[in-house]
Amino acid sequence: MVFFLFILGAVVGSFLNVVGLRWGTGRGLGGRSSCFSCRKILGWQELVPIISFLMLKARCRGCTAKISWQYPIIEIWTGLIFATIPYIFIPVFCIYVVITIYDLKYKIIPDELVYTAIILSLLVPLFFVQYSLLDWLAGPILFTFFGLIWLLSRGRAMGFGDAKLGLSVGLLLGASQGFSAIILAFWIGALVSLLYIFLNKTGLPAQAGFLKNAKKLTMKSEVPFAPFIIVGAWMSLVFHLNIFYVAFF
Ligand SMILES: [Zn+2]
């Protein structure tokens, strides 16, 4: 069952890749996928999640242009999400995956996506989860927290989109797991930033094709934060993290 859910998730992830990359470009979701370099239409053998990427050795069959690691990473991650979280959370997390793709690419969170996530985050606990008053307040508290960072840094440290995403995560996960998610997000963010700065000195990320057009990242660079919030939310949900337990015992 877990394996079946993983496969289903990987297939959905492959679709979410397309949604994330085509969002806001005016290209609909219809139409066949093609190579970004040579425009060759991809056949079904080139569209099998994860497997195709490995078989093609990360290169287009037509023009040998490199295929981004984003594709298999998102497919595997969506597979893991499907296999590890309660079903009722899956629709919100599908939106979160698209937000991750979009934020990594454009460093902004589309309003339509985050508002839909907020509405779904409100509906899930309303119908399926028992919430205390503090759980209901978790969303507004996280919104205020990120909103203040946004205000005080004049948008440099955090975007306003992160505040809306915080509202969604707080509503969806409640106080204990919601706050845990955000603390985890800062930890992961710090680790990834340090790792990235370290690797940048070796020139590895450029060789691997990551953030090809981005300036070299330094501590001051604008790092998209939504992916960390979302990975934090996922891990907090999977491992039932409880920040209050850590804080008081
Ligand atoms: Zn090509």
Side-chain angles (χ1 to χ4, degrees), residues 34-40 42 60-65:
S34 59
C35 168
F36 276 103
S37 288
C38 67
R39 302 277 154 215
K40 176 178 127 46
L42 302 182
C60 166
R61 203 181 271 172
C63 67
T64 71

Side-chain angles (χ1 to χ4, degrees), residues 210-227:
F210 281 111
L211 296 174
K212 221 177 293 171
N213 305 317
K215 304 177 297 262
K216 277 201 166 182
L217 274 185
T218 62
M219 276 308 221
K220 281 181 191 151
S221 299
E222 195 188 334
V223 178
F225 198 65

Side-chain angles (χ1 to χ4, degrees), residues 11-220:
V11 172
V12 172
S14 151
F15 172 71
L16 297 178
N17 262 322
V18 177
V19 178
L21 291 172
R22 291 190 187 179
W23 193 274
T25 61
R27 260 186 98 185
L29 290 176
R32 303 285 299 276
S33 290
S34 59
C35 168
F36 276 103
S37 288
C38 67
R39 302 277 154 215
K40 176 178 127 46
I41 301 282
L42 302 182
W44 67 268
Q45 318 94 309
E46 290 154 294
L47 291 169
V48 184
I50 307 166
I51 312 285
S52 289
F53 184 82
L54 297 175
M55 300 289 276
L56 295 168
K57 298 197 179 72
R59 289 192 179 276
C60 166
R61 203 181 271 172
C63 67
T64 71
K66 273 190 181 174
I67 304 170
S68 169
W69 277 89
Q70 180 200 311
Y71 293 96
I73 288 173
I74 292 293
E75 285 158 3
I76 292 169
W77 184 38
T78 313
L80 289 174
I81 288 174
F82 272 57
T84 51
I85 68 175
Y87 307 145
I88 195 66
F89 292 97
I90 285 178
V92 186
F93 270 85
C94 284
I95 300 175
Y96 283 175
V97 170
V98 179
I99 289 178
T100 301
I101 297 168
Y102 199 91
D103 194 38
L104 281 172
K105 197 165 180 211
Y106 301 107
K107 295 182 178 176
I108 195 161
I109 304 175
D111 271 342
E112 303 92 326
L113 290 175
V114 75
Y115 288 145
T116 313
I118 290 170
I119 292 167
L120 290 177
S121 305
L122 199 58
L123 292 176
V124 169
L126 213 54
F127 291 103
F128 301 98
V129 190
Q130 286 284 316
Y131 264 10
S132 70
L133 179 64
L134 184 60
D135 288 321
W136 282 115
L137 288 176
I141 288 171
L142 289 178
F143 178 78
T144 311
F145 171 71
F146 282 115
L148 279 176
I149 298 180
W150 170 73
L151 207 65
L152 295 176
S153 73
R154 298 201 190 104
R156 276 196 294 263
M158 221 48 93
F160 194 56
D162 295 316
K164 296 173 197 163
L165 185 61
L167 175 62
S168 168
V169 167
L171 287 170
L172 187 70
L173 299 185
S176 149
Q177 286 182 17
F179 297 155
S180 304
I182 301 309
I183 291 180
L184 205 55
F186 279 102
W187 275 101
I188 302 169
L191 273 175
V192 170
S193 301
L194 286 176
L195 192 71
Y196 201 91
I197 290 165
F198 172 75
L199 284 177
N200 237 329
K201 295 207 191 283
T202 69
L204 265 177
Q207 283 171 27
F210 281 111
L211 296 174
K212 221 177 293 171
N213 305 317
K215 304 177 297 262
K216 277 201 166 182
L217 274 185
T218 62
M219 276 308 221
K220 281 181 191 151

